[in-house]
Amino acid sequence: GQNIDQPTEMTATEGAIVQINCTYQTSGFNGLFWYQQHAGEAPTFLSYNVLDGLEEKGRFSSFLSRSKGYSYLLLKELQMKDSASYLCAVRDQNNAGNMLTFGGGTRLMVKP
Amino acid sequence: DVKVTQSSRYLVKRTGEKVFLECVQDMDHENMFWYRQDPGLGLRLIYFSYDVKMKEKGDIPEGYSVSREKKERFSLILESASTNQTSMYLCASSISRGGLQETQYFGPGTRLLVL
């Protein structure tokens, strides 16, 4: 089975940087995804990591350490529209059907 | 762009009713998924399907069934709705034969209230 933990809520200021952590325990690891979900809307794909290190995509970056079972999503130059929930999801190595296990999500509030 | 649509955004049903939630994707994806999303619990997988007429139980299949008669359509059925099935239901699809980073694409969700 898998266990995925992330903070429930975070608050940050417009223009600042925020880091959202995700820790996981899995019997086999085959990739970690981050999704963004605005209230009342569908989750949308942000990033994917399968090897250790940092993946950068504009204002968003995602980091993975497989040995530590740890990932973070880094958001720079925060904007009000970044207020949303951020979901961490892990794919199991033994998973033939592209199934994901999701964490509970982190609700980020960006304040002026 | 991948498009996943769900038949209703909001639905109100009574306890004991049979409820059908429909999901359609237009990208010829092999895999389709049904989740429910509840505050504090995140997304939990109910059922998934990796091919027409194939279905596999997820983490919380009790009280639900599914149907996949055509590749583009995946239906979630609540045989006898109960109040604890009040939730947001999200459908997703993904390609099977692509690279490792193939993500799941989500529909807009159906918010179901069972009275």
Side-chain angles (χ1 to χ4, degrees):
Chain A
Q2 301 189 47
N3 189 32
I4 301 171
D5 288 313
Q6 49 182 133
T8 306
E9 281 190 359
M10 297 183 72
T11 303
T13 306
E14 192 176 15
I17 298 173
V18 71
Q19 177 174 312
I20 303 174
N21 296 325
C22 172
T23 58
Y24 63 88
Q25 295 170 317
T26 179
S27 52
F29 177 81
N30 199 18
L32 186 144
F33 295 79
W34 283 96
Y35 290 84
Q36 181 190 60
Q37 185 180 24
H38 284 100
E41 297 183 12
T44 54
F45 171 74
L46 282 179
S47 69
Y48 170 79
N49 295 72
V50 70
L51 299 176
D52 290 351
L54 190 68
E55 295 280 342
E56 296 188 74
K57 233 189 226 185
R59 293 189 300 113
F60 292 8
S61 305
S62 57
F63 171 84
L64 176 68
S65 168
R66 288 171 296 170
S67 62
K68 295 181 180 176
Y70 168 68
S71 173
Y72 67 72
L73 181 69
L74 193 71
L75 291 75
K76 302 176 188 173
E77 300 168 17
L78 279 173
Q79 302 175 9
M80 298 299 291
K81 67 178 182 179
D82 297 330
S83 292
S85 287
Y86 291 86
L87 313 179
C88 173
V90 172
R91 180 166 54 207
D92 192 284
Q93 187 173 26
N94 300 315
N95 176 344
N98 195 21
M99 285 167 52
L100 299 177
T101 301
F102 285 83
T106 299
R107 195 167 82 173
L108 174 66
M109 288 174 280
V110 180
K111 296 187 173 178
Chain B
D1 274 356
V2 176
K3 193 166 182 185
V4 181
T5 57
Q6 296 183 226
S7 49
S8 306
R9 290 300 302 269
Y10 301 94
L11 211 51
V12 180
K13 296 291 180 181
R14 296 206 174 275
T15 302
E17 278 193 79
K18 191 169 186 175
V19 183
F20 292 87
L21 302 182
E22 304 284 343
C23 175
V24 177
Q25 49 92 6
D26 66 358
M27 286 303 291
D28 203 36
H29 283 173
E30 292 83 7
N31 301 325
M32 296 188 75
F33 308 83
W34 274 107
Y35 297 90
R36 62 178 284 178
Q37 185 174 32
D38 302 287
L41 297 176
L43 273 78
R44 292 180 292 167
L45 182 65
I46 304 171
Y47 267 96
F48 71 100
S49 168
Y50 53 88
D51 202 351
V52 176
K53 297 195 185 292
M54 304 302 289
K55 60 185 179 184
E56 295 285 342
K57 292 180 180 179
D59 298 320
I60 51 164
E62 296 78 20
Y64 303 95
S65 62
V66 289
S67 172
R68 185 124 182 244
E69 296 296 318
K70 293 184 178 180
K71 191 175 185 180
E72 67 271 19
R73 188 180 296 270
F74 193 35
S75 302
L76 180 69
I77 302 152
L78 286 66
E79 295 290 341
S80 177
S82 62
T83 54
N84 63 11
Q85 292 179 309
T86 291
S87 186
M88 168 71 96
Y89 289 88
L90 287 162
C91 174
S93 73
S94 73
I95 199 168
S96 180
R97 60 188 178 274
L100 283 177
Q101 65 177 311
E102 284 297 334
T103 183
Q104 292 183 14
Y105 296 89
F106 286 84
T110 297
R111 193 170 289 281
L112 173 67
L113 173 62
V114 182
L115 299 173

